[in-house]
Amino acid sequence: RDQAAAEFRAELTLDAQNGNALYELAQLDHESGKLEDSRKEFETLVVAQPDFEQAQVGLASVLIDSENTSLAVPHLKHAVELDPNDEVAWYRLAQALRASGDREGQKQAMETFRRVHASEQNRLIRAGVRLPSGEVTPQELGKGEQPDAAHP
């Protein structure tokens, strides 16, 4: 991880506008528990590229992990507008709405998550893709979380 982070930082010194390098660095920092660094990197990225859907989800995930769930909601709403089939964004939105006290919004987001998740699973099965256990999308739901959990 440290070597990968160093390489992404080096890429950013060559091209400060490289959104992919900044995204990967923010993800690595998030996974390493460097929430403040990750938050700053994701914030820089979503300001520069507001339609970078995965960056919106990444920033929201950091905000949720930092217990700033109400700040995560607008990023997740934007993410699901950009990609209505992103099941991780819907799941995270359900989490954030629940923590913010919006039970009705949480219920609707969770229903959408379940529908999108089932649709994606069925599409992959019809395509003959063997699904690894626990894999959802390129973004992860989070440590110990399951997509079918009763309480997001």
Side-chain angles (χ1 to χ4, degrees), residues 1-2 5-6 9 25-42 62 65-66 143:
R1 287 182 191 250
D2 291 339
R9 281 185 175 80
L25 182 59
Q27 278 294 107
L28 286 171
D29 282 342
H30 186 200
E31 292 168 6
S32 298
K34 300 176 185 174
L35 297 181
E36 191 56 36
D37 290 343
S38 180
R39 179 179 176 169
K40 288 177 186 175
E41 292 153 355
F42 276 125
V62 171
D65 290 350
S66 302
K143 295 176 183 152

Side-chain angles (χ1 to χ4, degrees), residues 136-148:
V136 178
T137 67
Q139 282 278 338
E140 296 177 2
L141 291 176
K143 295 176 183 152
E145 297 177 275
Q146 297 297 316
D148 295 325

Side-chain angles (χ1 to χ4, degrees), residues 1-151:
R1 287 182 191 250
D2 291 339
Q3 182 179 358
E7 289 181 28
F8 288 124
R9 281 185 175 80
E11 179 61 33
L12 289 168
T13 61
L14 298 173
D15 178 8
Q17 303 302 311
N18 186 329
N20 290 328
L22 188 54
Y23 172 83
E24 295 297 340
L25 182 59
Q27 278 294 107
L28 286 171
D29 282 342
H30 186 200
E31 292 168 6
S32 298
K34 300 176 185 174
L35 297 181
E36 191 56 36
D37 290 343
S38 180
R39 179 179 176 169
K40 288 177 186 175
E41 292 153 355
F42 276 125
E43 285 174 341
T44 298
L45 186 52
V46 299
V47 166
Q49 298 179 30
D51 291 341
F52 190 156
E53 187 263 343
Q54 289 294 316
Q56 294 284 350
V57 175
L59 176 55
S61 296
V62 171
L63 292 167
I64 290 169
D65 290 350
S66 302
E67 299 181 10
N68 291 305
T69 53
S70 62
L71 297 176
V73 171
H75 296 287
L76 292 164
K77 286 184 176 181
H78 187 58
V80 297
E81 287 173 6
L82 293 169
D83 182 0
N85 294 313
D86 184 340
E87 58 193 300
V88 171
W90 282 110
Y91 186 82
R92 292 282 189 194
L93 180 57
Q95 283 183 310
L97 290 169
R98 181 173 187 255
S100 299
D102 183 352
R103 298 291 181 173
E104 185 58 35
Q106 180 264 335
K107 180 181 173 186
Q108 291 173 358
M110 196 62 183
E111 287 172 6
T112 303
F113 160 76
R114 287 188 178 115
R115 187 177 66 250
V116 169
H117 182 68
S119 175
E120 179 63 11
Q121 294 282 329
N122 290 334
R123 185 190 68 76
L124 293 172
I125 290 167
R126 282 192 306 273
V129 175
R130 184 180 165 116
L131 301 174
S133 174
E135 187 170 317
V136 178
T137 67
Q139 282 278 338
E140 296 177 2
L141 291 176
K143 295 176 183 152
E145 297 177 275
Q146 297 297 316
D148 295 325
H151 299 95

